[in-house]
Amino acid sequence: QVQLVESGGRLVQAGGSLRLSCAASGRTFSSYTMGWFRQAPGKEREFVAAINRSGWSGGSTYYADSVKGRFTIFRDNAKNTVYLQMNSLKPEDTAVYYCGARPPGSSEYLYWGQGTQVTVSS
């Protein structure tokens, strides 16, 4: 069982930056693929970014086209934390951001945090 707690969301002006954090419990954090997703009002949850577990494809990262070049996902296994650095924010980035954990061998994210609200004003 993994518990995830997101933080860092707030109101920011367009063009600004935010760093979201997701702290995980447990001693197996480094073995999980971690992802960030978001859900805007009236829309389905969508993929934002993911990072493989360390040592698997060298911790490769993946991004949605809409955030590529603006967002960066990275992890600190010593702190059991995954981050999402968001630059050049746009109003359309406004959403609740969730982090998820996908265990080895699973095709799905099985653990989710409660979400953190990001609001980008124009």
Side-chain angles (χ1 to χ4, degrees):
Q1 187 76 8
V2 175
Q3 292 184 329
L4 305 173
V5 180
E6 302 98 332
S7 62
R10 62 177 175 85
L11 173 65
V12 63
Q13 288 189 334
S17 297
L18 276 180
R19 178 176 293 183
L20 305 183
S21 301
C22 173
S25 65
R27 294 179 289 180
T28 58
F29 172 78
S30 62
S31 69
Y32 285 70
T33 292
M34 300 299 296
W36 284 97
F37 295 75
R38 66 188 182 187
Q39 187 167 18
K43 295 187 177 181
E44 294 186 352
R45 187 177 299 188
E46 65 175 3
F47 169 78
V48 175
I51 183 167
N52 282 338
R53 60 185 174 95
S54 301
W56 182 256
S57 300
S60 297
T61 56
Y62 308 88
Y63 298 94
D65 288 343
S66 59
V67 306
K68 202 170 293 183
R70 299 188 298 122
F71 290 10
T72 302
I73 186 171
F74 58 101
R75 65 195 299 164
D76 185 339
N77 290 333
K79 295 182 178 180
N80 276 16
T81 301
V82 62
Y83 303 91
L84 185 68
Q85 177 66 41
M86 305 187 294
N87 298 329
S88 302
L89 283 162
K90 304 175 182 180
E92 51 263 43
D93 294 318
T94 294
V96 177
Y97 284 71
Y98 299 89
C99 76
R102 179 159 63 90
S106 174
S107 60
E108 297 181 1
Y109 288 83
L110 300 182
Y111 305 105
W112 295 93
Q114 83 290 346
T116 186
Q117 176 71 48
V118 173
T119 303
V120 184
S121 63
S122 57

